[in-house]
Amino acid sequence: HNGGKCTEKYNGFSCDCTFIAYTGPFCKKEVSAQFAAGASVVYNFQDYYAIAKNVSSSHVSSLYADTVLTREVITFSFRTTQTPSLLLFVNSFYKEYLSVILSKNGTLQVRYRLDNHQDPDVFSINVRNLADGHLHHVKIVREEDTLFVELNQHATMKFTLSSGTEFRAIKSLVLGKILGDTDVDQETLKANSLGFIGCLSSVQFNHIAPLKATLHMSSASVMVKGQISESSCGEISRADSASSETTHSFADHSRPLDEGKPLANALRSDSAVIGGVIAVVIFILLCVAAISVRIYQQKDTYKESDTKVSENEDNPGVILKSELNMQNTIHENQKEYFF
């Protein structure tokens, strides 16, 4: 489940959840945390790549000059009532960055700057105010200059970047508040003024799960500031389920990749099909029951008829009486004539 790898063994199986944002025996349990005001989790890619490539810290800068991303896959869930909010931030040694924020009106915005000489590309998902206390799921995929954004498993939106295609020498990923000075746009700065207050869950950047590394692993790549506590806030409640079934339309005018019907319509369609099948099955059962009752009644009628015939054959008095009645009928029908 969720990208984990399970291996069958002699007495069962085991699942490896190392490189995903989930845990548990089946890799189905979300790793979630509650962030207080000003809290921050910083995952340093520099340390990760230095360890992965087995190089000394003095060679890290040269290593990073060769590290170029042309594709990112980012998934996470959040729950908050605060706007504006900074949900996720990734920066590089070349002052390039990605920021995912909730604007003042609760709209989700994805901001990419892959050229430090240009303003960032800004993509807004105008659904509704997402700072409503419900759990929302976000998936962001970039393939060079093409960006796909999916919110709450509804239709995926497609955008085109103009600021570049390469994310060079990524430095760190931040959840919560960005610490220290950083060269970003004004809207990202406003969102960072309070950081993030609420729940973040199942955070994944490519093959790295920073929140899981913070809570379940002792990693030198992670730095934590402020109050962060592991929580079950990433679990879907009944209210979240009802909210996710509400039909939404994307108001952004960029080209849609898939205009498909919302999840709620699919659920209603499936329910209608299931209801129709159940109705047909019930009708067939009623027909079979009616036929069975009719056959049973006919058998009873035949049995009664056979019983009466059998009783008449076994009773001589009845036979004699029947013959006398027949003779009387013949005599009454005979007429005498005198000439």
Side-chain angles (χ1 to χ4, degrees):
H1 294 281
N2 302 309
K5 295 182 179 180
C6 295
T7 305
E8 187 175 359
K9 294 187 175 182
Y10 175 75
N11 58 346
F13 63 92
S14 63
C15 294
D16 182 7
C17 315
T18 304
F19 298 106
I20 63 172
Y22 294 80
T23 186
F26 306 106
C27 300
K28 295 177 69 175
K29 180 176 174 56
E30 302 90 348
V31 177
S32 310
Q34 196 73 31
F35 283 66
S40 176
V41 170
V42 180
Y43 188 97
N44 292 302
F45 292 96
Q46 175 180 348
D47 295 333
Y48 172 81
Y49 280 105
I51 295 171
K53 299 293 184 180
N54 193 25
V55 297
S56 63
S57 58
S58 61
H59 294 88
V60 167
S61 58
S62 61
L63 168 69
Y64 253 72
D66 297 330
T67 304
V68 176
L69 292 180
T70 58
R71 183 177 190 270
E72 298 96 44
V73 179
I74 306 163
T75 57
F76 64 92
S77 302
F78 71 91
R79 187 196 303 268
T80 187
T81 56
Q82 172 195 304
T83 59
S85 287
L86 179 65
L87 301 177
L88 181 142
F89 179 78
V90 182
N91 65 344
S92 80
F93 286 96
Y94 292 98
K95 297 183 179 180
E96 301 165 353
Y97 67 86
L98 157 68
S99 66
V100 184
I101 69 173
L102 287 184
S103 62
K104 189 174 182 180
N105 64 358
T107 296
L108 181 71
Q109 289 188 357
V110 180
R111 294 171 168 261
Y112 260 103
R113 188 174 77 179
L114 299 183
D115 184 343
N116 57 12
H117 300 295
Q118 295 185 21
D119 292 332
D121 292 313
V122 180
F123 309 105
S124 297
I125 313 300
N126 298 318
V127 178
R128 60 188 174 98
N129 184 359
L130 298 178
D132 55 4
H134 294 299
L135 191 67
H136 299 286
H137 307 278
V138 179
K139 183 175 182 179
I140 301 169
V141 179
R142 181 182 72 90
E143 299 275 1
E144 295 185 340
D145 64 344
T146 304
L147 182 68
F148 305 99
V149 181
E150 180 184 293
L151 177 63
N152 292 334
Q153 300 177 348
H154 290 300
T156 302
M157 297 297 293
K158 180 180 179 181
F159 306 94
T160 301
L161 280 73
S162 62
S163 62
T165 61
E166 296 179 346
F167 207 162
R168 302 173 299 161
I170 56 174
K171 178 181 180 181
S172 60
L173 181 151
V174 180
L175 303 175
K177 188 176 179 64
I178 302 172
L179 303 176
D181 296 331
T182 183
D183 183 13
V184 295
D185 60 275
Q186 288 298 316
E187 292 301 316
T188 300
L189 282 176
K190 290 178 183 178
N192 185 56
S193 61
L194 294 176
F196 178 80
I197 301 173
C199 171
L200 285 174
S201 177
S202 308
V203 182
Q204 184 96 29
F205 182 91
N206 289 349
H207 57 282
I208 294 171
L211 200 57
K212 183 179 179 181
T214 303
L215 299 173
H216 290 190
M217 304 174 185
S218 56
S219 174
S221 302
V222 180
M223 181 178 66
V224 179
K225 295 288 185 180
Q227 184 178 350
I228 298 172
S229 57
E230 186 167 6
S231 170
S232 60
C233 57
E235 296 179 359
I236 299 177
S237 65
R238 291 183 179 180
D240 296 325
S241 299
S243 175
S244 66
E245 290 179 4
T246 305
T247 302
H248 304 299
S249 60
F250 290 95
D252 196 280
H253 297 290
S254 299
R255 294 169 295 167
L257 174 67
D258 180 11
E259 297 288 350
K261 293 182 179 180
L263 181 61
N265 290 344
L267 291 173
R268 294 191 187 100
S269 177
D270 291 343
S271 299
V273 172
I274 293 171
V277 171
I278 292 174
V280 170
V281 171
I282 292 175
F283 177 75
I284 292 173
L285 291 175
L286 289 175
C287 290
V288 171
I291 292 171
S292 299
V293 170
R294 181 62 179 170
I295 292 173
Y296 181 77
Q297 289 176 345
Q298 289 180 351
K299 285 183 178 180
D300 286 346
T301 302
Y302 292 147
K303 286 181 180 179
E304 290 177 2
S305 176
D306 291 343
T307 301
K308 289 180 180 179
V309 171
S310 177
E311 289 177 354
N312 290 340
E313 291 177 351
D314 296 338
N315 193 338
V318 173
I319 296 173
L320 179 60
K321 186 176 180 180
S322 178
E323 291 178 352
L324 291 174
N325 289 336
M326 291 178 62
Q327 291 177 2
N328 291 336
T329 302
I330 293 171
H331 288 307
E332 288 175 358
N333 291 334
Q334 292 177 348
K335 297 183 179 179
E336 295 181 355
Y337 299 90
F338 298 94
F339 299 94

